[in-house]
Amino acid sequence: MWVSQSVAELQGSLRSCWKSSTSIGLVPTMGALHEGHRSLVRRARNDNDVTICSIFVNPTQFGPNEDFTRYPRALERDLALLEAESVAGVFVPTPVDMYPSGFDTRIDVGELGRIIEGARRPGHFSGVATVVTKLFNLTRPSRAYFGQKDAQQLAVIRQITRDLNIPVEVIGCPTVREPDGLALSSRNMYLSPSERLAATVLFRALNAGRDAYRQGERTNAQVRDAVTVVVQSERLAVLDYAEVVDPDSFSSDDPCTDRSIIVIAARVGTTRLIDNLTVSAEYEHQGPRTLHRQQRTGTLPSQL
Ligand code: AMP
């Protein structure tokens, strides 16, 4: 497995893939890898000739009072995990390599970047869109893999590839959860044992919203209320937002449909967590938009 720590090294590592039109699957990450990341890698490996991963804690997507400096970093462990997953190579750039002196361009993702999560984290999605576009240009992947866990990020990436005609197939992958429902996240390691228990409130609240929908509630307010009550019952949690949105536009104006997703952000202690769930369990089970290679050939998809 090659590890490239600069743009120049990366180009050298990928040149032969580009020449031989080998399909490249890219999994962008910020490191501190867990089973969620591993599921993306496995999906990429399944779909492509070569799978590559990037590990970069991108400073431009963190706000001034966010956790950039304390964000978990575990490079040795991450590289061992990726090697065990037969990843072909890993790009681990430095901030200076990605943003050399004179760098002064940012992608403005418009309305989608300014609402819901974007309203609480001004500039976040612009930072994400800019770094992901750079990673696409640097690696020229056939496909790129993102988790539905970060649903608005996934919508943003789909929008920029569409709007800017970036020739990459964007693949959304299902959220991997702990047995008690907590979505895996590198930030879960900030939680104390009591906060870790309390953090299941996000999944419990999302399921309460789903139950409300199943029982016939169809307005954003009704489903949101069902979610809010559950979060308020948890002493260690403070709700930031709960909304029912369209998974592409993130508009919360329309009545709920089976496609709608409930998105939630809450602080548990000092740790801010996000999660989401489709209002309809049936819709979720339709799975990601692009089929696994095994599915195309009629055998079962590989499980985690
Ligand atoms: P991060 O390292 O947090 O920036 O995440 C890198 C990629 O992994 C993003 O596309 C995330 O959406 C995805 N991801 C993070 N957590 C999970 C999870 N629990 N299940 C599936 N994908 C995830």
Side-chain angles (χ1 to χ4, degrees):
M1 183 177 82
W2 50 260
V3 178
S4 297
Q5 293 183 314
S6 71
V7 166
E9 270 181 57
L10 175 74
Q11 312 274 291
S13 305
L14 285 174
R15 195 155 293 127
S16 63
C17 291
W18 294 332
K19 275 201 188 128
S20 62
S21 66
T22 301
S23 66
I24 299 174
L26 170 69
V27 181
T29 80
M30 297 204 298
L33 303 180
H34 51 64
E35 289 299 311
H37 299 111
R38 197 201 300 269
S39 72
L40 269 52
V41 167
R42 289 189 174 177
R43 178 73 199 277
R45 213 181 47 199
N46 186 71
D47 294 351
N48 300 280
D49 299 320
V50 157
T51 295
I52 61 173
C53 208
S54 61
I55 297 178
F56 181 58
V57 185
N58 175 36
T60 69
Q61 69 189 69
F62 287 78
N65 299 317
E66 294 182 0
D67 56 344
F68 173 68
T69 46
R70 67 185 281 250
Y71 192 84
R73 287 157 171 92
L75 187 58
E76 289 309 309
R77 221 187 104 251
D78 290 348
L79 294 179
L81 182 149
L82 295 174
E83 179 125 55
E85 288 298 325
S86 308
V87 162
V90 190
F91 179 42
V92 192
T94 61
V96 175
D97 213 40
M98 291 298 272
Y99 305 112
S101 111
F103 181 93
D104 200 17
T105 300
R106 281 179 83 102
I107 293 180
D108 175 356
V109 266
E111 181 66 6
L112 178 59
R114 286 190 286 272
I115 57 177
I116 317 278
E117 184 72 2
R120 276 77 180 183
R121 303 185 69 187
H124 170 67
F125 287 121
S126 173
V128 169
T130 306
V131 78
V132 169
T133 302
K134 282 174 68 76
L135 290 170
F136 284 174
N137 287 334
L138 287 168
T139 60
R140 301 187 224 159
S142 321
R143 302 179 188 85
Y145 296 80
F146 297 88
Q148 281 158 2
K149 153 81 167 55
D150 299 288
Q152 193 169 356
Q153 170 173 280
L154 176 59
V156 162
I157 307 295
R158 287 195 198 284
Q159 167 145 352
I160 59 167
T161 49
R162 197 170 53 239
D163 288 355
L164 302 178
N165 307 100
I166 303 175
V168 177
E169 191 182 346
V170 175
I171 307 216
C173 301
T175 301
V176 177
R177 299 180 179 282
E178 299 281 6
D180 63 8
L182 178 66
L184 295 188
S185 163
S186 306
R187 289 190 168 98
N188 291 351
M189 60 179 78
Y190 297 151
L191 300 168
S192 70
S194 58
E195 290 167 351
R196 168 64 189 80
L197 283 176
T200 59
V201 76
L202 278 84
F203 189 60
R204 287 186 274 125
L206 290 169
N207 276 295
R210 187 180 261 190
D211 286 345
Y213 181 78
R214 190 183 303 127
Q215 284 156 21
E217 308 287 24
R218 287 295 178 272
T219 69
N220 187 344
Q222 287 163 330
V223 175
R224 197 176 50 209
D225 286 352
V227 175
T228 306
V229 167
V230 175
V231 179
Q232 284 171 344
S233 72
E234 176 50 68
R235 195 176 47 85
L236 294 179
V238 177
L239 185 66
D240 189 351
Y241 62 77
E243 296 285 347
V244 186
V245 300
D246 175 89
D248 298 318
S249 68
F250 270 67
S251 163
S252 55
D253 295 341
D254 302 323
C256 308
T257 68
D258 282 4
R259 288 188 76 240
S260 304
I261 56 174
I262 312 167
V263 290
I264 187 172
R267 224 166 261 286
V268 179
T270 55
T271 305
R272 187 171 181 279
L273 300 174
I274 61 169
D275 200 352
N276 65 86
L277 200 65
T278 53
V279 289
S280 158
E282 289 72 32
Y283 191 81
E284 180 180 61
H285 290 140
Q286 288 177 16
R289 289 179 195 184
T290 305
L291 295 178
H292 288 250
R293 182 171 289 165
Q294 293 105 314
Q295 285 174 311
R296 283 191 219 114
T297 55
T299 53
L300 282 175
S302 58
Q303 297 294 315
L304 234 197

